[in-house]
C-alpha cells in the first residue's frame, strides 16, 4: 500500500500532467521528454502526386526512412505528406490498432486539435476585412455579458488570437478529476456535450495567468471566445461559417467539424497515455469534441492541411493586410537573455526556426490520443504535415527530471528533413530543438515535478 508521501507525490505528478494538458490542445506535439517503448516492425507506403517519379528535393527513400525512424523510436503509427511545389510524397508507418495490428494509411482522417485555431483566426480576420471586427477593440464590445467590466475593456480581440489576454484555460475545469484519475475523467467525458459559452465561463472563472497585453500564455479559452465573437458579428453558427467561408473556400474535401463523436472516414485509433497514468494507453478516437469547439475540434488529413496552409500563405483566403496582421508575432516563450525566441506566435499562426536554419509557418495540435504538426515555407512551396496516434508518452524520473525523448527527436528530425529538402536531419540538432518548443505549454510539467 502506498505511503501518504507516495500518494502526495503521485497526485503532484498527475496534477503536473493535467496542468500541461490544460495549457493547450497542442501539448505533446513537440515533446521534450519520453521513454522508448517496444513497437512492431514498421511498414511504409508512398504515393506520388502529379509526378510519379519524385527525385531531387523530394528524397523518397530518406523521407520513408525518417518516418519509419519515428515509429521505431516508439510512436505507434504516423502518416505524413510532404510537398515541393507540385511534387508530393505521402507515407505511413506503424500500426493504427494495437490489437489487430491494422497498418496506418497515408489518407487517414485525423483529429488535428489546435490547428483548428488557424481556421478560426482566418474566419475572424475575414470579418476584420469586412469592417465587422476591429482587432484592437475590446472584447467586451462584442461579448458584454460574457466578459463585462474592466476585463472586457482591457482584453482585445487581437489578444485572444495571439494568446496575450491572460485568460486561463478551461480544460481542467471541464474534466473534473483529471488531476486525480486521468483515465476515469477522460472516460466519463467521452460523450459529454459542452456549450461554448459554458467553456468560456469555466476559463474566465479561473485566476488570470497574466496581465492583458502581457506575455504570451497559450489558452484554449481564447479561441472559444474568438468563436463566440465570430457568431456575434455574423449571426451564424461558428462551425457553419468556418465550413462555408474557410474550409470550402480552401477547396478542402476531407476537413470538417465532426457532427458526432465518431470520425466519418478511414482513421487510426488514437491512444492516450497521460504520462503513464493511463496504462496501457487507451483509445480515444471516439470522443465528443464539443469540449474543443473552435479551439480544436476539426478533423482533417495531411494533404488537406498542406492545401490549406498553401492557400493561406499565398493569399487565397485573406487579403494582404489581414495576412500581414496574422503574421505579426509575439515570443511564444521567454528566451534566455541575449538569445532570440525561436518561435513567435501570430494570430492563430506561428513561425518557428527549425534545425536546418529556416523559418517556417504553421501550427500544431493535440487532442487526447492524436497529435498533428503542419509547417510550410513562407511562399507555401515547401510543406510537411504529419499526424500520429500516441500521445503524452513522455516519462519522468522519480525526482521529476524528464527522461530522454527519442520519439520527439525522431519527430523533429522527420519534419526538419522534409522541409530542408533532404528528407533527413541531424538527430543531435533535433534533440536540441524539441525542448525549445516545450515552453508552449502554459505550465510545463517539470515545473510541478521538481
Amino acid at each position: 500500500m502506498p505511503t501518504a508521501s507516495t500518494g502526495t507525490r503521485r497526485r503532484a505528478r498527475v496534477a503536473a500532467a493535467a496542468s500541461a494538458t490544460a495549457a493547450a490542445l497542442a501539448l505533446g506535439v513537440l515533446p521534450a521528454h519520453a521513454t522508448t517503448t517496444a513497437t512492431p516492425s514498421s511498414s511504409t507506403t508512398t504515393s506520388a502526386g502529379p509526378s510519379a517519379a519524385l527525385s531531387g528535393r523530394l528524397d523518397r527513400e530518406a523521407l520513408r526512412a525518417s518516418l519509419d525512424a519515428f515509429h521505431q523510436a516508439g510512436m505507434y503509427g504516423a502518416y505524413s505528406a510532404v510537398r515541393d511545389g507540385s511534387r508530393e510524397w505521402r507515407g505511413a508507418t506503424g500500426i493504427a490498432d494495437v490489437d489487430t495490428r491494422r497498418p496506418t494509411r497515408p489518407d487517414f482522417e485525423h483529429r488535428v486539435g489546435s490547428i483548428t485555431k488557424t481556421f478560426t483566426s482566418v474566419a475572424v480576420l475575414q470579418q476584420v476585412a469586412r469592417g465587422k471586427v476591429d482587432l484592437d477593440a475590446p472584447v467586451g464590445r462584442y461579448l458584454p455579458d460574457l466578459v463585462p467590466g474592466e476585463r472586457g475593456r482591457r482584453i482585445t480581440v487581437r489578444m485572444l488570437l495571439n494568446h496575450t489576454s491572460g485568460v486561463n484555460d478551461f480544460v481542467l475545469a471541464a474534466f473534473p478529476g483529471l488531476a486525480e484519475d486521468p483515465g476515469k475523467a477522460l472516460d466519463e467525458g467521452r460523450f459529454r456535450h459542452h456549450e461554448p459559452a459554458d467553456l468560456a465561463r469555466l476559463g474566465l472563472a479561473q485566476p488570470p495567468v497574466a496581465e492583458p497585453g502581457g506575455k504570451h500564455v497559450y489558452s484554449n479559452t481564447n479561441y472559444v471566445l474568438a468563436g463566440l465573437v465570430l457568431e456575434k458579428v455574423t449571426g451564424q453558427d461558428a462551425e457553419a461559417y468556418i465550413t462555408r467561408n474557410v474550409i470550402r473556400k480552401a477547396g478542402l474535401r476531407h476537413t470538417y467539424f465532426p457532427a458526432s463523436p465518431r470520425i466519418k472516414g478511414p482513421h487510426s485509433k488514437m491512444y492516450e497515455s497521460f504520462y503513464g497514468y493511463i496504462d496501457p494507453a487507451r483509445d480515444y478516437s471516439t470522443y465528443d469534441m464539443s469540449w474543443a469547439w473552435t479551439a480544436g475540434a476539426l478533423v482533417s488529413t495531411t494533404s488537406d492541411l498542406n492545401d490549406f496552409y498553401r492557400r493561406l500563405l499565398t493569399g487565397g483566403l485573406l487579403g494582404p493586410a489581414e495576412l500581414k496582421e496574422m503574421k505579426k508575432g509575439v515570443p511564444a516563450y521567454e528566451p534566455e537573455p541575449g538569445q532570440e525566441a525561436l518561435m513567435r506566435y501570430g494570430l492563430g499562426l506561428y513561425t518557428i526556426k527549425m534545425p536546418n536554419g529556416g523559418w517556417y509557418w504553421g501550427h500544431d495540435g493535440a487532442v487526447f490520443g492524436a497529435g498533428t504538426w503542419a509547417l510550410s515555407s513562407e511562399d507555401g512551396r515547401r510543406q510537411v504535415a504529419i499526424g500520429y496516434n500516441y500521445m503524452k508518452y513522455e516519462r519522468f524520473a522519480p525526482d521529476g527530471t524528464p527522461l530522454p525523448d527519442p520519439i520527439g527527436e525522431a519527430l523533429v528530425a522527420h519534419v526538419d528533413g522534409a522541409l530542408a529538402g533532404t528528407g533527413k536531419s541531424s538527430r543531435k540538432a533535433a534533440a536540441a530543438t524539441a525542448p525549445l518548443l516545450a515552453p508552449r505549454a502554459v505550465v510545463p510539467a517539470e515545473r510541478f515535478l521538481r
Side-chain angles (χ1 to χ4, degrees):
M1 179 175 294
T3 64
S5 60
T6 299
T8 300
R9 286 195 299 271
R10 183 186 186 280
R11 285 192 296 274
R13 290 169 67 87
V14 176
S19 297
T21 299
L25 299 181
L27 174 73
V29 172
L30 300 173
H33 18 265
T35 185
T36 305
T37 57
T39 56
S41 58
S42 62
S43 61
T44 305
T45 59
T46 61
S47 60
S51 173
L54 304 180
S55 60
R57 296 198 65 193
L58 279 179
D59 188 329
R60 291 178 295 170
E61 295 304 316
L63 288 167
R64 181 182 300 116
S66 66
L67 188 61
D68 278 341
F70 183 35
H71 168 59
Q72 292 158 2
M75 181 52 59
Y76 291 169
Y79 11 98
S80 175
V82 181
R83 291 181 182 172
D84 180 22
S86 62
R87 295 177 173 180
E88 180 179 33
W89 173 92
R90 295 189 299 160
T93 188
I95 57 173
D97 187 321
V98 298
D99 295 319
T100 67
R101 321 299 282 182
R102 173 171 57 96
T104 56
R105 287 169 33 184
D107 63 345
F108 272 170
E109 292 183 354
H110 190 72
R111 299 197 189 278
V112 301
S114 280
I115 287 177
T116 306
K117 291 179 173 67
T118 312
F119 289 75
T120 300
S121 182
V122 169
V124 173
L125 286 164
Q126 288 175 346
Q127 295 306 304
V128 171
R130 294 183 177 100
K132 292 187 175 182
V133 172
D134 181 344
L135 283 174
D136 297 309
V139 69
R141 174 187 297 180
Y142 307 100
L143 304 172
D145 295 332
L146 197 57
V147 196
E150 182 183 3
R151 201 176 197 188
R153 292 190 294 271
R154 295 184 65 193
I155 296 172
T156 67
V157 175
R158 185 189 301 275
M159 292 175 196
L160 298 179
L161 298 180
N162 68 11
H163 297 290
T164 59
S165 72
V167 174
N168 210 328
D169 203 285
F170 61 78
V171 174
L172 278 177
F175 291 88
L178 189 63
E180 292 73 35
D181 190 337
K184 180 181 178 182
L186 296 187
D187 287 348
E188 290 178 346
R190 189 185 292 269
F191 299 108
R192 183 185 300 137
H193 181 77
H194 299 267
E195 291 296 329
D198 292 337
L199 295 174
R201 291 187 186 99
L202 288 175
L204 290 164
Q206 309 304 311
V209 291
E211 285 293 313
K215 65 179 181 178
H216 168 96
V217 184
Y218 198 94
S219 171
N220 295 298
T221 310
N222 288 321
Y223 272 77
V224 169
L225 289 168
L228 292 169
V229 169
L230 183 66
E231 290 193 334
K232 182 72 171 182
V233 300
T234 63
Q236 302 177 40
D237 173 81
E239 292 185 357
Y241 179 90
I242 293 169
T243 298
R244 284 192 297 268
N245 296 280
V246 182
I247 295 172
R248 290 179 183 170
K249 185 174 181 180
L252 310 184
R253 300 178 60 188
H254 303 283
T255 301
Y256 57 91
F257 286 98
S260 81
R262 291 172 175 81
I263 297 174
K264 293 189 300 185
H267 62 277
S268 172
K269 288 189 172 181
M270 299 173 184
Y271 295 95
E272 178 63 46
S273 172
F274 218 96
Y275 309 103
Y277 288 105
I278 300 177
D279 187 20
R282 203 167 299 167
D283 169 36
Y284 290 107
S285 55
T286 297
Y287 217 91
D288 186 319
M289 294 304 296
S290 62
W291 73 271
W293 198 48
T294 51
L298 276 180
V299 172
S300 190
T301 64
T302 53
S303 289
D304 262 17
L305 292 179
N306 282 340
D307 281 343
F308 169 66
Y309 281 106
R310 178 171 286 181
R311 285 181 172 87
L312 172 61
L313 291 167
T314 56
L317 298 177
L318 292 173
E322 289 70 43
L323 185 57
K324 182 178 179 180
E325 291 293 336
M326 196 176 199
K327 289 180 175 180
K328 289 181 180 178
V330 297
Y333 65 96
E334 296 182 16
E336 294 294 325
Q339 296 185 3
E340 67 174 337
L342 301 183
M343 178 189 286
R344 298 184 64 85
Y345 199 98
L347 307 184
L349 181 75
Y350 64 64
T351 183
I352 181 172
K353 187 175 184 179
M354 293 297 288
N356 67 56
W359 288 85
Y360 301 91
W361 295 87
H363 212 287
D364 54 73
V367 292
F368 305 121
T372 317
W373 195 13
L375 291 178
S376 299
S377 58
E378 190 166 18
D379 62 4
R381 180 176 180 83
R382 192 77 199 184
Q383 298 184 288
V384 60
I386 184 169
Y388 44 99
N389 63 4
Y390 176 41
M391 294 303 292
K392 296 186 227 23
Y393 50 77
E394 297 92 335
R395 298 294 184 267
F396 301 88
D399 64 354
T401 304
L403 296 174
D405 179 15
I407 300 178
E409 293 171 15
L411 170 61
V412 173
H414 174 73
V415 170
D416 183 58
L419 292 169
T422 61
K424 54 189 175 182
S425 174
S426 162
R427 287 292 290 272
K428 182 177 180 181
T433 297
L436 291 173
L437 304 176
R440 292 209 56 226
V442 170
V443 185
E446 54 265 40
R447 175 176 171 182
F448 282 79
L449 295 170
R450 295 192 187 282

